[in-house]
Structures are given as structure tokens and as C-alpha cells.
Amino acid sequence: VTEGADVRVEERTGVVIAHIAGEVDLSNADRLGQKIARAVPNSALGVVIDLSETSYLDSSGISIVFQLVERLNGRQQLVRVAVPEDAPLRRVLSVVSMESVVPITATAEAAEEEIRQAA
Amino acid sequence: LAYTDGLVERRDMWIDEGMDHLRDAAAGVDRDLDAFCDGVLSRMLTAWPTSEDVALIALKLTSLSAADMSLELPAEADQLTLVRRALRQWLAGRGASQDESYEILVATTEAAANAVEHAYGPLPARIHIEASSAEGVVEVRVRDSGTWRPPRGANRGRGTLLMQELMDGFEVVTGDAGTEVRLRRRLGGGESS
């Protein structure tokens, strides 16, 4: 009986937004990462990984975010990660220095806006 | 305790009488579930042999509000949600804040995930998780029967980093029986990192 996590992907004129909801761990991280990677066309300006509804994320989920960032940056696509300011996840991301590879914004909308302006 | 009638019914014995014998047999045996089932079966079937098939299911109720928490689970990735659910509930009972609870869950899952990834060998591996608290400090011990392997690759390296940074104490103890990761965290915002 796994509660697990789900990813919902939407595209708004060139920006792909992947909303990850639920608990991400070793049991489902790879599957979610692949689902997001497959959903991003070469033509996309960039990708927002929205962790606003992610109730749990550990190193296995962090690892897929790093992999996505590396892969998309290699294709000249921009990536942003959205995490609310007061989410407990903020401290976890700070420990692994996620901000050194990808900008973190408070909301998916702000992240989307940043990508549009930078592109 | 659930069982098939073969355990308590005999041609020469009323079922009520058989159930009384079962109650006596169950009262005197070990509380460990495997030993309990073996004990009940051997007592009943030695005293009242039968040619019928007998099945027995024993359940142990665990109170999560108890002072200490103890879990034993198969070393499989899909068990990690259960670990967090139980620990989250236990931590709420200890007065942990949302952030403290989250960080202890991450550190514990990292330790358990390490055990899951290194679970190999001929026997199905198990993870034991115990949590206790004293004087505002929570200690979680994650034990497996495998040998600790130094973290490989960026992913496990980050797991170790998280355990170190999110907890006040992080220790790996390797013994003959396996590996135990000990995590300690002071509650009440007195976090020192």
C-alpha cells in the first residue's frame, strides 16, 4: 500500500511545468524523473519543476532533479525549481546546495515568468 | 489469533474445551510472533494430534503512542512510506515541530534506503527501526543485517550529507550482526549544525 507520488505535466506556450505531488523516495523517483524527461520536447524554452505539492522528497528525488537540470541545460533549456518559502523541503535543498545548479523560486508562476524573461 | 477448526476440534473433544486448551497454550508461550506460532502449534498438536490441516494467523498490536517505537520490515523500497507514516505519527506524539519531523523523516529514510539498496544475499533482508526519546532528544536507530558500504555515487553521498547536516548526531556502527545507523536530534528548535 504505497501512497506514492504523481506528476502532472502541462505546457504553457513553450514552458513545461511538471507538478510533483505526494511523496518521492527510492520507490518511485526514477519513474517520475523519466516521466518528466519524456514530457519535455526539444522545442520547449524551459522547464519548471514544481515541488509545491511535494509532501516528501529525499536524496533519490533530489538526484532526479539534478539529472534533469544537467540534461536540460545541455540542451540549452532553462530549468527552475519551485518550492514555497516556508516548506520544510527548503532546508533539505539547501543542505545539498541545489541552488548552485538551479535557481529556486517560491512559486511555479514566478519560475515560469523567469524562464520567459531569460529566454 | 485466527485459526482453522483443525486446531481445536477433535472427535473426542468439544470445541469449547479445545478453545480452553488453546487459550492455555497461547498464554504460556513466547511473545515473538514466529516463536509464538511454533509454540502454540507444537503444544496443541502434541497433546491432541490430528490428521487435519491446521492453519494459524497471529497478529501483534503495536501502540504508536508507546514511549518507544519499534518496526521490523522487509528491506524493500515500497516499505519506506510505511516507515515515514509510523515515524511521523510517533514524532507528533513527542511534540516535534513540522520542520523537525520532516528532517528526521528524511534522515531516517536515507538510512533505510541505504539498507534497501544494499540488501542482497540468499535470505530476504529485514530492516529494524527503533525510535526513542529522552530529555527532548529523539534517537532513531536503523539496523539491517547487511554490511555497510561506503556511499557510492552522488546520490548516496547526498544521503549521507543529509543525515549529517539535518541531525545533531549521526553514527554508523558496524557489528557482527549487521549495520546500525544512529540518528539523534534535539527537539524544540535547539538544533546545532
Side-chain angles (χ1 to χ4, degrees), chain A residues 3 23 25 56 58-59, chain B residues 84-85 88 102 109-110 155:
Chain A
E3 277 150 18
E23 302 197 4
D25 65 17
Y56 178 84
D58 60 25
S59 66
Chain B
R84 287 194 296 275
R85 196 189 300 164
R88 193 180 282 127
Y102 190 86
T109 308
E110 296 296 346
N155 187 21

Side-chain angles (χ1 to χ4, degrees), chain B residues 95-97 100 136 185-191:
Chain B
S97 72
E100 287 166 343
R185 174 68 189 263
R186 174 167 294 282
L187 300 183
E191 202 264 331

Side-chain angles (χ1 to χ4, degrees), chain A residues 1-4 23-28 54-64 66-67 86-93 95-97, chain B residues 77-82 84-85 88 98-99 102-103 105-107 109-110 113-114 116-117 154-156 158-159 161-162 165-166 185 191 193:
Chain A
V1 193
T2 309
E3 277 150 18
E23 302 197 4
V24 184
D25 65 17
L26 188 61
S27 67
N28 56 14
T54 309
S55 54
Y56 178 84
L57 186 97
D58 60 25
S59 66
S60 51
I62 287 166
S63 185
I64 63 153
F66 275 98
Q67 284 166 24
D86 60 350
L89 181 55
R90 281 266 171 169
R91 171 104 205 276
V92 169
L93 298 185
V95 167
V96 297
S97 312
Chain B
D78 60 4
Q79 302 290 314
L80 299 173
T81 313
L82 297 176
R84 287 194 296 275
R85 196 189 300 164
R88 193 180 282 127
Q98 196 199 353
D99 285 10
Y102 190 86
E103 290 169 20
L105 293 183
V106 170
T109 308
E110 296 296 346
N114 204 25
V116 168
E117 289 194 328
N155 187 21
R156 281 289 122 232
R158 278 188 209 112
L161 182 67
L162 285 169
E165 294 297 317
L166 298 177
R185 174 68 189 263
E191 202 264 331
S193 61

Side-chain angles (χ1 to χ4, degrees), chain A residues 32-89:
Chain A
L32 294 174
Q34 283 164 20
K35 194 168 170 185
I36 296 171
R38 275 200 302 268
V40 184
N42 272 320
S43 58
L45 297 173
V47 178
V48 177
I49 301 168
D50 180 17
L51 303 178
S52 309
E53 301 295 323
T54 309
S55 54
Y56 178 84
L57 186 97
D58 60 25
S59 66
S60 51
I62 287 166
S63 185
I64 63 153
V65 175
F66 275 98
Q67 284 166 24
L68 282 167
V69 169
E70 194 179 347
R71 175 175 170 159
L72 296 166
N73 283 343
R75 299 201 310 207
Q76 311 300 315
Q77 292 172 314
L78 297 168
V79 188
R80 294 291 183 275
V81 172
V83 187
E85 299 280 3
D86 60 350
L89 181 55

